Amino acid sequence: MRILLVEDDQRIVDFVQRGLKAEGYAVEVARTGLEAVALGAEGQFQTIILDRGLPDLDGLQVCERLRSTGVETPILMLTARDAVQDKVTGLRSGADDYMTKPFAFEELLARIEVLMRRRGGSDGKADHRELKIADLILNGETHEVRRGATTIELTPKEFALLEMFMRMPGKVLSRTRILEQVWGYSADPLTNVVDVYIRQLRRKIDDDYDLKLLKTVRGYGYKMDIS
Ligand code: CA
């Protein structure tokens, strides 16, 4: 298992590299953004750990360049800042997860393992049994739902509702359509079951996160996207 570590701070390089090697990973280090883009584009890595503060490019730009050239390797972004907006822009730029420095090595390791498991295989290709929007993952086979490294417990109806949204990212779904598809009956004007379930789902998948994914489209219904 090969990991690309993109970091210009030698102390962090030493600390992370030593730890990962002890866990059996092969670690290659890039100290600039351009070096990271060149190495990352070869697609030889199972995970990329990417620092945001680099001497040439910003980590966000590195992430965007890699994604725009079709590199699907999972990216864990590191930042020294704990601003909520940083996390949101990091995920929007195509990163799969985000961590604030300083961090415990154990947490880094746990997150890397999640990213690798999620992608399956060693070719860095996405697992199509999984649906993914930003850091929200739904696995149709194991019925597991995660945001970042956190597992989210959903009831079967909540799961069906979420799956419907994730299969159609960006599409506005009316209450009628949701009722028909998830509950199997047509709209009863007196029931607010959809709104109740949307509220429950939001509490679980969005409330604790800065980047909200499930949106209300006033007068039409709901949609899920990253905008
Ligand atoms: Ca740095």
Side-chain angles (χ1 to χ4, degrees):
M1 290 299 217
R2 300 182 70 207
I3 293 179
L4 175 61
L5 171 61
V6 187
E7 172 65 86
D8 59 319
D9 184 332
Q10 190 57 44
R11 288 165 309 165
I12 294 177
V13 169
D14 289 343
F15 158 70
V16 172
Q17 197 172 23
R18 200 168 45 236
L20 289 176
K21 279 185 174 164
E23 294 292 326
Y25 293 104
V27 182
E28 200 152 329
V29 178
R31 287 184 171 77
T32 67
L34 290 173
E35 205 183 333
V37 171
L39 280 170
E42 292 170 13
Q44 299 299 308
F45 302 95
Q46 279 72 53
T47 295
I48 298 173
I49 302 169
L50 174 60
D51 184 39
R52 269 200 67 170
L54 296 168
D56 50 354
L57 302 173
D58 185 279
L60 290 177
Q61 294 173 294
V62 173
C63 195
E64 279 163 0
R65 286 194 195 186
L66 286 171
R67 292 297 184 238
S68 71
T69 54
V71 174
E72 292 186 337
T73 312
I75 296 177
L76 171 60
M77 205 172 269
L78 302 178
T79 184
R81 294 169 293 183
D82 195 12
V84 298
Q85 198 52 39
D86 276 6
K87 185 169 182 175
V88 172
T89 50
L91 293 171
R92 279 200 186 130
S93 74
D96 298 85
D97 201 0
Y98 203 92
M99 254 179 96
T100 307
K101 292 195 264 187
F103 51 83
F105 180 75
E106 293 304 317
E107 186 183 359
L108 177 75
L109 194 60
R111 287 176 186 244
I112 290 170
E113 284 166 0
V114 167
L115 288 177
M116 287 187 167
R117 251 203 324 271
R118 189 183 293 169
R119 289 300 167 111
S122 57
D123 58 359
K125 286 204 183 94
D127 182 342
H128 293 293
R129 289 165 301 185
E130 289 193 337
L131 300 172
K132 181 171 190 293
I133 296 181
D135 59 342
L136 177 66
I137 309 280
L138 177 146
N139 187 309
E141 283 206 339
T142 62
H143 280 228
E144 197 175 15
V145 175
R146 283 208 203 89
R147 253 198 104 156
T150 309
T151 301
I152 298 171
E153 300 293 338
L154 296 182
T155 66
K157 277 281 179 274
E158 290 165 354
F159 185 89
L161 184 60
L162 179 62
E163 189 174 21
M164 181 183 187
F165 279 109
M166 291 185 77
R167 285 203 183 283
M168 292 176 273
K171 186 160 173 54
V172 181
L173 303 172
S174 67
R175 287 176 182 77
T176 312
R177 175 146 183 211
I178 295 169
L179 263 180
E180 281 171 0
Q181 193 150 332
V182 177
W183 279 268
Y185 54 80
S186 34
D188 172 353
L190 297 178
T191 180
N192 66 342
V193 63
V194 171
D195 303 84
V196 169
Y197 269 83
I198 292 277
R199 229 174 2 252
Q200 283 173 206
L201 188 57
R202 271 193 177 133
R203 199 153 47 225
K204 294 183 178 181
I205 63 158
D206 270 347
D207 277 11
D208 294 340
Y209 301 87
D210 303 313
L211 179 62
K212 310 295 181 198
L213 300 172
L214 189 50
K215 322 269 168 59
T216 301
V217 182
R218 211 167 281 281
Y220 293 96
Y222 301 98
K223 68 171 179 174
M224 183 167 268
D225 68 16
I226 198 167
S227 66

